[in-house]
């Protein structure tokens, strides 16, 4: 079957090449282009070479950063410069499908050769958009010298922790990252907590947010019990928890197979166990994974699909990839042949796992969810309040809603007079006093509002305290020109007004850029790495594409930062302007120093300098 399909394509190519020049052709010598990141590109070189030798069709594997694949596929693809196939993380699926960058794939008779969990990862609205090749999940990793037997329940984890700390055998028994919903989910699952429910078809339902469910709050109470006993401390991240484990100061943590090289090199004894059970039953982790997608912009989609289904979906190529980059295989024949005891243990821990939601709304969850966990661990909020507040924020973010107080403590308010007003619920347009278009004052001092507006052309301004005496238009200019807003379709539009700079804009007319980083809590944000915190809003009143903000509120120290669009992590830029790139490090020389953050939207470059 494999040879017949590819042979058919080769014949089709040759026949096509003999047609008149006015007919589009697929040149055999052009072959296929695959985009893969630095981890997976080397693993693909062997299969690509074998395919070229066997069928005479060259396959070029081009190394592209994982984040750059995600951001560039929809940019260069329409220009004919993108790949035919690209490797993607499963949680891109919603975004990739919505922007039309991938085509569905029918595995046909090969479907039974892939694990159900891996296929679910790449399924969106009932259609499969990827050929999975690897999966990953958390497990409980323990030091067997400190914890000889795997704890069956979270109550066991608590009891073991108490004994270890009391005896002085370990500084901490169990530890969890301070602000990390991905880790927290494995704990929540045993208490009945969830992120999104499912609809009748089994798809994740963004209208059913479970961050404030009874099970999630119960998991929060469990965390609080560890905190109250002194067993959990804040400011624990990946590096800290692993350093503590390697030093013998932590006996148990949750981590994934990606941590195995580090743990093995440390020489610390370790054992891998299933996620403990809770009051609601077995605990289980999120399942994530990577796979191959066929570009919607490729002119060789049939050949690309044949390469994936009739060549790659076989034990030889899958084994070749595994040998270079060992990961839990999604391909069942290879999975069943695994002899690596550690990976087998991770497979066992993930047998009852669920696919991490890949719907676009998942991007609205991470910050508030992790922030709630952090508030509980830091003792700043009780679990009921923390997770209830987080769920409200998540639902509002998903819906694009803005709610809150429309007046300051001194009674001042900001209105949005303009031609948007009738559509937003006012009796007429250009009324600075209409209550329906008053803005909401956020905790960050920025006024915001959001309205569902029909397609059309609009104009608006900001007016203070219900009169035209003080109003601001384009560029934040007092008595300035109206701001023009054009909508090609019905859109939820969010408006922003800064009472200091007087910049009034919206998220359609302007790019909304913030600078989330490790410094934000120190300057007044609820927590670090919070793209929704408008205290770090970079502004561009003159519209030249260069956004900036200045602050003196960061204490002396070393920090990291990125730039993020639209108050979430869906689009972000790191060092050297790379999307989804590494954090940018910067230093504040002394308390009160003037720090200038500047972002160039053309290059994606974020810079942080010390001002005078």
């Amino acid at each position: 079957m494999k040879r017949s399909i590819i042979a058919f394509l080769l014949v089709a190519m040759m026949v096509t090449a003999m047609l008149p020049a006015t007919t589009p052709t697929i040149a055999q010598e052009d072959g296929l282009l695959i985009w893969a990141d630095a981890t997976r590109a080397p693993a693909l070189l062997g299969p690509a070479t074998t395919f070229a030798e066997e069928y005479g069709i060259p396959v070029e594997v081009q190394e592209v950063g994982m984040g750059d694949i995600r951001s560039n596929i929809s940019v260069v693809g329409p220009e004919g410069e993108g790949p035919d196939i690209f490797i993607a993380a499963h949680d891109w699926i919603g975004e990739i499908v919505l922007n039309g960058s991938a085509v569905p794939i029918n595995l046909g008779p090969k479907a039974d050769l892939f694990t159900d969990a891996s296929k679910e990862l790449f399924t969106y609205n009932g259609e499969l958009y990827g050929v999975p090749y690897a999966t990953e999940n958390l497990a409980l990793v323990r030091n067997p010298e400190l914890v000889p037997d795997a704890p069956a329940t979270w109550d066991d984890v608590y009891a073991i922790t108490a004994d270890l700390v009391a005896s002085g055998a370990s500084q901490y028994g169990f530890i969890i990252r301070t602000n990390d919903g991905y880790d927290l989910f494995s704990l929540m699952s045993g208490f009945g907590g969830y992120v999104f429910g499912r609809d009748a078809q089994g798809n994740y339902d963004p209208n059913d947010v479970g961050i404030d469910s009874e099970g999630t709050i119960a998991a929060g109470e469990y965390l609080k019990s560890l905190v109250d006993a002194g067993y959990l401390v804040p400011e624990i991240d990946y590096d800290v928890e692993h350093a503590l484990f390697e030093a013998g100061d932590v006996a148990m943590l949750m981590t994934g197979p990606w941590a195995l090289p580090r743990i093995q090199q440390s020489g610390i004894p370790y054992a891998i166990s299933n996620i403990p059970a809770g009051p609601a039953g077995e605990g289980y982790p999120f399942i994530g994974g990577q796979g191959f997608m066929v570009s919607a912009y490729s002119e060789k989609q049939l050949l690309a699909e044949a390469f994936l289904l009739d060549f790659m979906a076989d034990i030889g190529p899958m084994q070749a990839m595994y040998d270079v980059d060992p990961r839990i295989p999604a391909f069942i024949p290879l999975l069943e042949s695994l002899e690596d005891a550690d990976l087998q243990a991770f497979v066992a821990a993930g047998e009852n796992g669920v696919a991490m939601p890949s719907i676009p709304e998942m991007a609205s969850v991470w910050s508030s969810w992790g922030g709630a966990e952090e508030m509980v661990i830091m003792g700043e909020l009780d679990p009921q309040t923390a997770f209830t507040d987080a769920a409200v924020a998540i639902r509002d973010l998903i819906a694009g809603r803005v709610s809150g107080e429309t007046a300051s403590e001194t009674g001042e308010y900001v209105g949005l007079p303009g031609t948007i007003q009738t559509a937003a619920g006012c009796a007429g347009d250009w009324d600075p006093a209409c209550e329906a278009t008053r803005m909401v004052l956020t905790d960050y001092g920025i006024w915001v509002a959001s309205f569902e507006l029909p397609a059309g052309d609009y104009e608006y301004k900001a007016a203070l305290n219900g009169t035209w005496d003080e109003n601001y238009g384009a560029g934040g200019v007092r008595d300035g020109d109206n701001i023009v807003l054009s909508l090609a379709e019905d859109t939820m539009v969010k408006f922003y007004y800064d009472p200091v700079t007087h910049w009034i804009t919206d998220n359609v007319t302007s790019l909304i850029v913030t600078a989330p980083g490790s410094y934000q809590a120190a300057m007044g944000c609820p927590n670090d790495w919070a793209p929704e915190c408008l205290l770090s809003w970079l502004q561009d009143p003159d519209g030249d594409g260069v956004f900036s903000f200045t602050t003196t509120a960061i204490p002396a120290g070393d920090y990291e930062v990125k730039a993020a669009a639209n108050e979430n992590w869906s689009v972000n830029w790191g060092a050297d302007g790379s999307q989804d790139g590494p954090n940018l490090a910067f230093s504040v020389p002394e308390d009160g120093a003037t720090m200038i953050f500047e972002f160039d939207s053309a290059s994606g470059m974020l810079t942080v300098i010390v001002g005078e």
Side-chain angles (χ1 to χ4, degrees), residues 311-450:
F311 177 73
M312 286 302 302
D314 204 344
I315 190 68
M318 288 293 184
Q319 181 73 56
M321 287 195 70
Y322 176 85
D323 290 342
V324 175
D325 178 34
R327 292 174 180 267
I328 299 173
F331 191 65
I332 293 175
L334 178 57
L335 180 64
E336 291 177 341
S337 70
L338 271 188
E339 296 181 356
D340 187 310
D342 288 340
L343 286 184
Q344 287 177 333
F346 274 106
V347 170
E351 280 185 353
N352 61 344
V354 297
M356 187 175 78
S358 57
I359 56 177
E361 291 82 3
M362 190 66 185
S364 300
V365 172
W366 294 110
S367 182
S368 296
W369 183 22
E373 177 196 13
E374 182 171 6
M375 292 299 101
V376 171
I377 292 176
M378 293 179 67
E380 294 187 4
L381 289 176
D382 64 89
Q384 179 80 40
T385 302
F387 288 102
T388 298
D389 289 352
V392 170
I394 290 165
R395 293 187 184 100
D396 283 348
L397 194 57
I398 289 173
R401 293 190 298 263
V402 169
S403 58
E405 297 296 327
T406 58
S408 69
E409 292 182 355
T410 58
E412 296 175 324
Y413 64 91
V414 179
L416 285 172
T419 56
I420 65 170
Q421 288 185 286
T422 301
C426 294
D429 292 331
W430 297 109
D431 179 2
C434 176
E435 292 189 7
T437 50
R438 285 189 184 182
M439 305 187 80
V440 170
L441 180 59
T442 68
D443 293 337
Y444 316 124
I446 304 299
W447 295 82
V448 298
S450 60

Side-chain angles (χ1 to χ4, degrees), residues 191-212:
F191 289 80
Y194 65 99
V195 180
F196 289 115
R198 298 185 186 255
D199 61 22
Q201 289 72 45
N203 300 312
Y204 280 115
D205 181 1
N207 296 311
D208 182 3
V209 175
I211 299 301
D212 58 350

Side-chain angles (χ1 to χ4, degrees), residues 501-541:
T501 65
H502 302 298
W503 191 35
I504 172 71
T505 191
D506 60 78
N507 64 352
V508 175
T509 304
S510 302
L511 182 66
I512 304 302
V513 183
T514 55
S518 60
Y519 68 97
Q520 285 181 292
M523 67 175 293
C525 292
N527 49 272
D528 290 332
W529 299 107
E532 74 279 7
C533 180
L534 294 174
L535 287 176
S536 58
W537 180 26
L538 290 87
Q539 301 180 18
D540 179 27

Side-chain angles (χ1 to χ4, degrees), residues 577-598:
S578 56
Q579 287 204 25
D580 298 313
N583 301 335
L584 173 69
F586 72 96
S587 297
V588 179
E590 59 185 3
D591 292 354
T594 299
M595 303 302 300
I596 302 172
F597 295 71
E598 190 170 277

